[in-house]
């Protein structure tokens, strides 16, 4: 990742960007009416994120800010195993059937005070 900060009088700008990997993610999906349980295992997925915060200091004790962030997990893939929940037996293995994507964005506005 990388971080940067710039200040000019009462104004400040903080930014950051990150890239990485996530390992070992998984999910369990129970189908109670069909007596099946699906267990998904993701091997790995790429993750990227960015954040920026613009601040203005009214005084040394009071400031305002606007902040935005974005995060994305790029499509991860893995295997799915299907189990019979009445016996616990493994019914099938679906190679490459599991997948996931995640994307989130947020915007925050606020006042910050120090005592």
């Amino acid at each position: 990742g990388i971080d940067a900060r710039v200040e000019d009088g009462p104004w400040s700008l903080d930014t950051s960007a990150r890239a990485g990997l996530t390992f070992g993610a998984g999910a369990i999906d129970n189908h109670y009416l069909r007596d099946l349980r699906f267990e998904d295992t993701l091997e790995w997925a790429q993750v990227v994120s960015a954040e920026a915060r613009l601040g203005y200091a009214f005084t040394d004790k009071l400031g305002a800010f606007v902040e935005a962030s974005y995060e994305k997990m790029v499509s991860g893939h893995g295997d799915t195993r299907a189990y019979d929940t009445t016996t616990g037996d493994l019914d099938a293995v679906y190679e490459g059937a599991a997948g996931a994507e995640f994307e989130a964005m947020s915007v925050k506005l606020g006042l910050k005070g120090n005592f």
Side-chain angles (χ1 to χ4, degrees), residues 2-55:
I2 187 167
D3 296 317
R5 179 173 177 84
V6 177
E7 289 187 31
D8 186 15
W11 293 96
S12 65
L13 175 64
D14 297 285
T15 60
S16 66
R18 306 261 186 274
L21 298 172
T22 183
F23 297 95
I28 296 175
D29 187 8
N30 290 296
H31 291 232
Y32 295 108
L33 296 178
R34 297 173 40 199
D35 296 325
L36 287 174
R37 181 179 72 245
F38 296 94
E39 294 183 2
D40 297 336
T41 304
L42 299 177
E43 295 169 9
W44 60 274
Q46 304 95 338
V47 178
V48 293
S49 66
E51 184 174 319
R53 179 182 177 134
L54 178 64

Side-chain angles (χ1 to χ4, degrees), residues 33-115:
L33 296 178
R34 297 173 40 199
D35 296 325
L36 287 174
R37 181 179 72 245
F38 296 94
E39 294 183 2
D40 297 336
T41 304
L42 299 177
E43 295 169 9
W44 60 274
Q46 304 95 338
V47 178
V48 293
S49 66
E51 184 174 319
R53 179 182 177 134
L54 178 64
Y56 183 83
F58 298 110
T59 68
D60 61 340
K61 303 254 186 221
L62 181 64
F65 67 89
V66 59
E67 180 177 304
S69 65
Y70 175 78
E71 181 177 0
K72 179 165 180 78
M73 182 177 78
V74 181
S75 181
H77 298 281
D79 299 333
T80 299
R81 288 177 168 67
Y83 293 91
D84 182 326
T85 56
T86 59
T87 65
D89 293 337
L90 177 64
D91 284 348
V93 176
Y94 305 100
E95 293 183 14
E101 287 187 24
F102 173 78
E103 190 171 20
M105 186 170 61
S106 67
V107 176
K108 300 174 189 175
L109 301 169
L111 290 173
K112 183 176 180 181
N114 296 324
F115 296 97

